[in-house]
Every structure is written in structure tokens, then in C-alpha cells.
Amino acid sequence: MNDPLYEPLIYELGAPGRTGVTMPTAPFPATPLPAGLLRDELNLPEVSEADVVRHYTRLSRQNFGVDTTMYPLGSCTMKYNPRLNEAMAHLPGFLEPHPLQDAATVQGSLEMLFNLQTWLSELNGFTATSLQPAAGAQGEFTGILMVRAYHRSRGDTARDTILLPDSAHGTNPATSSMAGFRVVELPTDGRGNVEMDALKANLGPHVAAMMITIPNTLGLFEEQILEVARLVHECGGLMYADGANMNALMGIVKLAELGFDVMHYNLHKTFSTPHGGGGPGAGPVAAGEALAPFLPGPIVALDETTSPPSYVYAMPAQSIGRLKAFHGNFGILVRAYAYLRAHGPAELRAVSENAVLNANYLRVKIGQAYEIPYDRICMHEFVAEGKLDEEGIRALDISKRLIDYGFHPPSNYFPLGTPHTTLKVHEALMVEPTETESLQTLDRYAEAMIAIRQEAREEPELLRGAPHNAPVGRVDEVYAAKKLVLCRAIPEIA
Ligand SMILES: *Cc1c(COP(=O)(O)O)cnc(C)c1O
């Protein structure tokens, strides 16, 4: 503490009785908390408002975020989150109602939910949408439970298998086995599509559904999707689309028209809700005629028998039930609604066109210095090889060095090329720039990547020791994950 350069933690500041707030006197008598709920020994600092503001502002500056830097974390769609969404989500009419309030008293909120359901159905040509699931993975789980309920309702209980390409997002196999299915992984061909012979060899009356991440985790569009859907349907299976990465497809293609029966969205990705750090999110599920009756509820319906028509909660006829308390993560739904209204159909299409353009621009530029294992027109993201054998450099070294250049790293080691999979990428650098980055920023990013490739040849130690100018250097990631320490030791306050 005698070191003048030492920045004290908030736990080391403060003085007894110092405070940042003045609580009003309660207009009712104090009620003591039930015994046992209060801890006697709780060393909380007593600090001023300024100390608190500085504490959190300093912490925020030690991290990367979409508001400070380009954040091309593949598959995560870390686009800019318009402040308009925040303003809308904070309107008192949206913020203050209680979820148990009578539907008649929250007609505006229900109208918003109803419109959002309608637009999300329309965007991919589906019949109905449920806004309940709280994240992409929960949306997948919902969709696969609906698949199971559909087959059971027809007395078809032999279908115990979900087919998955090995280019699927990791949540897809996890979802399938959590829902009680057997997972059969299909290999990928040299162009990054599912291998058709392997698909044909695995079809039959045991197939409940095929689950496809589209675009897949190589950032590629499945070129034979119409034929894949035809074959799966022919054997009585259903088609599930992992639509978490809609940022490539909005207004360009409708998944229902490609043959999909059910899909989920990630509103916190494509529809610009701040995410990362674990939530909250929203993973609505949209379904066609066959699966719509199985959607989780309640959903919002329009009752036209009343005058004027009113919005009501309704349970789909053969609903799998509830997936989430109340009405999903309502604040996220408001943000997505605001995003959709602010853009409108033509601009949504432009969002996807620009996301694809930006990714392809970077693919070609970065491809001058790095191997691109599947070098064809990509969708919203692409994968570069991060394992440089000659220099003994790994994807992690490149990513950590990018931090020194002021950029958030791309996704690493995902998708995974292992002897287990057929993917011809060893250590993926999965880059997703999104549409909200300018040409100048894309150029700066590409130049940093190219400079790092040069450093790998001339000064590889620079990469292995990176990051050099971050508040925290290279950590042992396995140790960090197993022995999580969320703050420095809290010293006793004298
Ligand atoms: C992000 C993502 C998911 C999982 O979504 P969560 O909201 O993190 O649960 C699933 N599939 C794909 C393709 C994704 O990109």
C-alpha cells in the first residue's frame, strides 16, 4: 500500500460511515429479517459514489467489448447494439408491468409480442412462433422436444436418432442427447457440405430428424440443402434448422422454403441485444404446419370475437408445455422488436448482404497471409487455419497477439478438426466481422492479422508471450477454468 503506483481495490478504500446514497425514511415500520438470513461478518467497504463509479469504470476498461473495439468472435455475431433498443426496453410501459398482471391491463405489451411472433414466422416462412426459450441452446432443446412429441403423437415411437453433420454447432449434439436421442454424426465433404453418400447410408425408419446449423460453423451455405431435405423427408424424418446465425440470410432465403420444419433464432445475436458473459438471451422457435401445434406456450393470440379484438394468452393445441417462467426474457424481446421496426424488410436484407460482403472481404484479404481451408464464397463468417506448423505457432498465440493490436480475438479451435471429425482445419480462427464494421476498421483488422503472420516468421516469441500490453497476461486457461478466482483476495478492513 506504500507503493504510489498501487491502485487500491474498492475493498481497500472507504471509511466507517462513508456512503454514496441517502435512503429515504420508510413510511412504514421496519420489519426484521427472519433469523439466519443476515451474516454477522460481512466486510463490505463503506465508500462514496465517486469511488464506486471509478471502481466500475476502471474494471470496464480492463476488458474488451463491442463498444470499444471490433469483436469478430465467430458464430457469436458481436454487432453494434443500437442505443435505440435500450431506450425502447426502458419505456415505463414495457419496464414496469408485472408478469402476473391481467392480460387486459397489458394489451400494448401483448401486441408487441404478437407482432414479434408474426414477423419472426414471416422472416423464414413458418406458421407460428413461440418466444419462450431463453437462449439458442434452449430453443434447440425445445425444437427437438417438439420433434419427439410429433412422432409420438402419430404412434411412431421407433425414431430414436438425430442426424448431425460434423460441422454443426456444439450445442446441437448436446441438445439431441439431452432430449434422449441417439446422435449420428455425418462427415463433411471437401467443399464443406454434408457428405451425401454418408447421409443416404444413415437414413431409415429410425431417423427422427436431421439437425443442420445453417450456415454451418465453417461459415458456409449447405449447397445441397434441397436434396438433403427431400431425402430426410422421404424416410419420414423432420428437418431442424439451427438459425442462430440468421445474420447471413435475412430477406434472402426463407428456411421453410428450403424444406425445414422447425428452427430457432438467437435474438441476442442477429437482432442486436448485448450478449456475452452468460446472458440473458432469447431463442424463439418457429415451426411449420406439422409442428406448430406442439410449440411451447403460452403464446399470444388475437381474439377477434371481442370488440375491439384483444390479445390473449393461448396454449397451442398439443403444446409440449412451458419452457420458461412467464413470457420469456421480455426485455430482450422488446429490443429485437425495436431492431426489426427500426430496420424494416429492405434494410434487414441489406444487413445480411453487408454482413456477407464484410466476411468475404476479410476472407480474401486475410487469405493472402493465412490458409483458408474451405476457400469459397462464405456467408457471415469464415475459418482460417491458425496452426502454423513451420513456426510452431498455435491459434491461441495469434489470438493473444491480436489483443496487443487492440482487437478482440476471433473464435478459436471451433469448429474442431480432429481425427474424430473430417474437417480439414486443425486450429480454427473463426472470423465474423458483422455488418456494423466500416471498411477502415476491416482494413485495420486485416493489416493486424497480416502483421502477426509476419511476426510469426521473424519473431515467434512475440506471439508465444502475448498479450504484452493487457492488464492480465497469458493465463493458464485450464487452471483458470477449474479454479475460478473472481477477485483478488479481499484484505481485512482495519
Ligand atoms: C450461439 C449459437 C448457439 C447457442 O446459442 P446460446 O444462446 O448461446 O445458447 C447455437 N447454435 C449456433 C450456430 C450458435 O451460433
Side-chain angles (χ1 to χ4, degrees), residues 75 135-137 140 169 171 213 242 244-245 266 268-269:
S75 208
E140 291 173 30
H169 192 269
T171 46
T213 301
D242 178 337
N245 293 318
N266 271 40
H268 44 295
K269 291 178 181 171

Side-chain angles (χ1 to χ4, degrees), residues 440-452:
Q440 288 76 7
T441 306
L442 296 178
D443 280 337
R444 279 201 306 116
Y445 184 76
E447 281 153 21
M449 288 286 289
I450 292 166
I452 291 170

Side-chain angles (χ1 to χ4, degrees), residues 479-480 483-489:
Y479 186 82
K483 297 245 182 247
L484 205 57
V485 179
L486 291 176
C487 57
R488 270 194 270 162

